[in-house]
């Protein structure tokens, strides 16, 4: 006899679907958002958008997000303002897109490029032509008119072949580049080229975070929507106002504030105690 067992939905932690459909996560789960974005990354990998190493990078980001408290902290807000001001002031702003970014925030990436008049360039650490094409397709489906990265004719000096490929009309000639979730070595190479480099990186200790001109220590899923808001507000500012925002900025101080925020937070949590606390 064949018995069909039908359990109520809350007995299953997730609903699994085959193919490219995402695992459905119950909204009641205490870490719903975290699981949702984790699924987006997994789906990105299954669809050939995200590299395997991107899964590890995501986990590393999550760990630091726990430490900062999974919210946008004041030093990140300040860095975002400066980043947006610099993008608005730039002659050739470029926003770089990799597999994690395309899986997590495709819509926001396209919108941020629009509101800052930046070009979009697919730029991958583990470059394959197929992945570049797929990411470009994702961005185009989301509304991007132009996506660079498919015809790189230039090389970033100091990086070996695949990792250094960039487009002449994109990162090569950019004066300001936003390279979120980027490898430290490549961030450093861009700085050496004389570019003004902005990064979004949850790990304040990473090489990228320490090399960039502006480091936004925040989750990209919070940072990009906030940067879009800021850009809409700030695009009416005069050049002088924007320049003042940029000139008063000190990235070294911002990184120190992030470290002190983490220390303070951990000290407070240790004092209060975290055992069986629902919210921390
Ligand atoms: P580095 O090369 O800069 O020293 P790394 O080798 O540890 O750093 P990479 O994989 O090269 O890290 O870069 C990815 C970076 O992106 C990591 O520092 C990680 O913490 C960060 N990261 C991952 N996911 C997110 C996210 N959603 N938002 C912001 N940062 C993230
Ligand atoms: Mg790295």
């Amino acid at each position: 006899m064949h018995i069909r067992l039908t359990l109520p939905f809350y007995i299953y932690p997730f609903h699994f679907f085959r193919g490219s459909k995402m695992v459905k996560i119950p909204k009641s789960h205490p870490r719903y958002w975290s699981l949702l974005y984790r699924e987006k990354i997994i789906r990105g990998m299954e669809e050939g958008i995200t590299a395997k190493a991107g899964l590890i990078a995501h986990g590393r980001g999550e760990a630091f997000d726990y430490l900062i408290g999974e919210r946008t902290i004041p030093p990140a807000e300040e860095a975002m303002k400066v980043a947006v001001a610099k993008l608005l002031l730039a002659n050739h702003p470029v926003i770089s897109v990799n597999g994690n970014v395309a899986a997590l925030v495709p819509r926001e990436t396209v919108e941020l490029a629009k509101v800052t008049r930046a070009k979009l360039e697919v730029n991958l650490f583990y470059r394959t032509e197929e992945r570049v094409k797929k990411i470009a397709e994702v961005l185009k489906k989301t509304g991007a008119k132009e996506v660079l990265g498919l015809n790189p004719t230039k090389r970033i000096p100091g990086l070996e072949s695949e990792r250094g490929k960039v487009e002449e009309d994109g990162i090569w000639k950019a004066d300001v580049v936003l390279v979120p979730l980027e490898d430290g070595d490549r961030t450093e190479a861009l700085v050496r080229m004389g570019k003004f480099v902005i990064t979004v990186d949850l790990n304040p200790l990473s090489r990228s975070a320490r090399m960039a001109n502006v480091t936004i220590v925040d989750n990209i899923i919070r940072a990009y929507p906030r940067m879009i808001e800021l850009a809409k507000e700030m695009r009416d500012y005069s050049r002088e106002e924007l320049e003042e925002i940029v000139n008063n900025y000190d990235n070294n101080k911002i990184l120190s504030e992030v470290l002190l925020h983490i220390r303070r937070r951990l000290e407070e949590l240790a004092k209060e105690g975290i055992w069986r606390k629902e919210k921390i």
Side-chain angles (χ1 to χ4, degrees):
M1 201 176 70
H2 189 86
I3 301 171
R4 235 183 109 215
L5 243 183
T6 323
L7 295 172
F9 91 98
Y10 48 82
I11 301 287
Y12 299 104
F14 310 116
H15 300 272
F16 291 93
F17 292 99
R18 292 232 165 259
S20 67
K21 274 206 177 147
M22 252 168 70
V23 168
K24 210 167 172 211
I25 296 148
K27 283 219 163 112
S28 57
H29 191 286
R31 297 201 48 77
Y32 172 77
W33 288 108
S34 167
L35 294 179
L36 181 75
Y37 283 101
R38 219 177 257 186
E39 275 311 315
K40 287 188 187 207
I41 287 282
I42 294 170
R43 189 186 186 185
M45 198 200 70
E46 285 169 354
E47 290 176 350
I49 293 165
T50 308
K52 277 186 196 152
L55 302 186
I56 298 167
H58 186 77
R60 191 156 53 254
E62 282 184 340
F64 281 96
D65 213 6
Y66 260 89
L67 294 178
I68 65 170
E70 295 180 317
R71 64 186 180 85
T72 299
I73 59 177
E77 173 77 13
E78 196 180 332
M80 281 193 262
K81 265 191 202 134
V82 174
V84 169
K86 198 66 196 180
L87 285 166
L88 291 171
L89 284 167
N91 291 321
H92 297 288
V94 173
I95 298 179
S96 169
V97 187
N98 66 20
N100 284 47
V101 174
L104 294 173
V105 283
R107 228 169 280 281
E108 293 83 351
T109 300
V110 172
E111 170 96 14
L112 184 61
K114 266 190 200 142
V115 292
T116 56
R117 324 148 292 123
K119 290 194 167 165
L120 287 169
E121 179 163 346
V122 181
N123 188 244
L124 305 179
F125 188 84
Y126 298 102
R127 186 188 170 94
T128 68
E129 298 315 307
E130 213 192 323
R131 253 178 14 96
V132 176
K133 272 196 203 120
K134 282 198 172 153
I135 294 171
E137 267 168 36
V138 168
L139 297 174
K140 286 206 168 141
K141 261 195 224 150
T142 317
K145 290 216 173 66
E146 187 192 25
V147 180
L148 303 172
L150 291 155
N151 302 302
T153 55
K154 294 286 183 187
R155 289 252 313 270
I156 302 171
L159 295 178
E160 80 283 0
S161 90
E162 287 309 298
R163 287 202 301 139
K165 285 183 172 175
V166 285
E167 276 214 26
E168 181 162 8
D169 207 30
I171 290 176
W172 181 258
K173 84 168 187 200
D175 49 353
V176 178
V177 277
L178 169 56
V179 282
L181 284 56
E182 181 59 284
D183 169 58
D185 197 34
R186 299 210 309 170
T187 307
E188 190 175 4
L190 290 169
V191 171
R192 267 203 313 269
M193 279 177 88
K195 317 248 174 241
F196 189 97
V197 180
I198 301 160
T199 195
V200 179
D201 193 327
L202 276 162
N203 176 4
L205 303 171
S206 78
R207 280 188 65 78
S208 274
R210 289 181 289 122
M211 288 298 156
N213 297 81
V214 174
T215 308
I216 299 161
V217 183
D218 201 2
N219 198 320
I220 195 163
I221 67 170
R222 295 187 298 266
Y224 270 20
R226 179 65 189 137
M227 287 170 81
I228 292 165
E229 272 177 19
L230 285 169
K232 285 181 181 165
E233 249 172 74
M234 291 165 65
R235 63 186 165 187
D236 297 328
Y237 287 16
S238 67
R239 281 194 79 81
E240 290 69 34
E241 280 174 294
L242 294 174
E243 274 160 8
E244 205 186 309
I245 292 171
V246 173
N247 292 342
N248 290 332
Y249 184 72
D250 180 351
N251 206 44
N252 191 35
K253 185 180 129 250
I254 287 296
L255 285 173
S256 295
E257 281 175 16
V258 173
L259 295 177
L260 291 172
H261 165 86
I262 293 173
R263 188 186 73 176
R264 253 193 326 269
R265 178 171 145 75
L266 295 180
E267 274 175 359
E268 279 164 17
L269 287 174
K271 255 187 232 139
E272 289 163 13
I274 56 170
W275 189 58
R276 292 190 176 169
K277 277 248 171 85
E278 181 57 33
K279 281 223 158 17
I280 54 167

